[in-house]
Amino acid sequence: MKRVFIIHGYDATPDDNWFPWLKEQLEEKLYKVVAPQMPDAGAPTLEKWLNHLKNIVGKCDENTFLVGHSLGTITCLRFLEALPKNEKAGGVVLVAGFSEDIGFAPLYSFTEKLLDYEKVKKSVGKIIAIHSTDDTAVPYKFAEIIHDKLDAELITLQNLGHINASNNCFKLPQALDAILKFND
């Protein structure tokens, strides 16, 4: 069975933004979708978030897909970085994401250590990044870093800011299309 894990960002919940819409759309297509509440979302640490994600996902295979938004993206990347050599995810969608320090102190534990980009690439079939050029929380240059260092496909959007509810983003068809594309 194809499984999708939707990982929210800083100070968020699985009921925010476009996450419920994406979950519903994928479930209609018979995916098993899990959108967990990550621990201490307002005061997150890499150790807690990574352990929580590992426990929820269990064994990872080509039918395992991850979708992260903002802080959820670096969490997904750290998860892939930590996978055993005999496990590989089918794909990951990184929305308004980053892989390096964005200068927001509460998230420093996630980027304190440089990401092993080569290990991440070996741990996943395909990487798609979705980012809006006017994102002030995570500037567009971070999407370009992901594109360059992870050979990710980059989908560039306009006028959606941080691609969340504050920009009236309650549906994200590009994320749905990306997941479906992994199975072509």
Side-chain angles (χ1 to χ4, degrees):
M1 171 168 260
K2 292 178 169 71
R3 304 180 305 150
V4 177
F5 297 87
I6 302 171
I7 310 305
H8 66 75
Y10 174 75
D11 209 19
T13 77
D15 299 321
D16 293 340
N17 307 313
W18 42 267
F19 316 139
W21 175 85
L22 181 60
K23 184 177 190 290
E24 180 182 298
Q25 296 297 308
L26 288 168
E27 286 173 343
E28 286 177 8
K29 298 185 182 312
L30 304 179
Y31 285 77
K32 179 180 180 203
V33 183
V34 178
Q37 176 62 55
M38 299 305 282
D40 302 322
T45 64
L46 174 59
E47 181 181 8
K48 284 183 182 177
W49 278 43
L50 191 53
N51 287 336
H52 191 63
L53 187 54
K54 285 177 181 178
N55 289 335
I56 290 165
V57 174
K59 188 160 174 54
C60 195
D61 61 25
E62 68 278 351
N63 290 314
T64 304
F65 305 97
L66 305 167
V67 178
H69 176 255
S70 193
L71 181 59
T73 63
I74 185 65
T75 304
C76 291
L77 293 172
R78 290 293 182 194
F79 172 83
L80 294 168
E81 179 185 47
L83 277 180
K85 286 186 179 180
N86 63 335
E87 292 184 34
K88 183 175 182 174
V92 62
V93 179
L94 307 170
V95 180
F98 60 95
S99 58
E100 298 182 4
D101 183 15
I102 60 170
F104 185 57
L107 310 185
Y108 184 65
S109 71
F110 291 81
T111 56
E112 182 176 11
K113 184 180 134 240
L114 189 63
L115 188 70
D116 183 341
Y117 290 99
E118 292 306 313
K119 173 71 169 82
V120 171
K121 287 194 287 190
K122 290 176 184 169
S123 298
V124 64
K126 182 142 175 85
I127 302 168
I128 297 177
I130 302 171
H131 217 100
S132 184
T133 55
D134 63 336
D135 188 339
T136 56
V138 179
Y140 187 76
K141 70 178 184 177
F142 289 98
E144 292 172 327
I145 291 169
I146 287 171
H147 169 71
D148 293 343
K149 293 192 175 183
L150 289 172
D151 302 326
E153 178 182 334
L154 178 55
I155 298 170
T156 301
L157 304 178
Q158 309 288 330
N159 304 316
L160 281 180
H162 199 47
I163 311 178
N164 60 12
S166 66
N167 297 93
N168 294 315
C169 190
F170 299 103
K171 295 180 181 180
L172 190 58
Q174 296 86 349
L176 176 63
D177 292 346
I179 294 289
L180 299 176
K181 187 178 183 178
F182 290 148
N183 296 299
D184 285 348

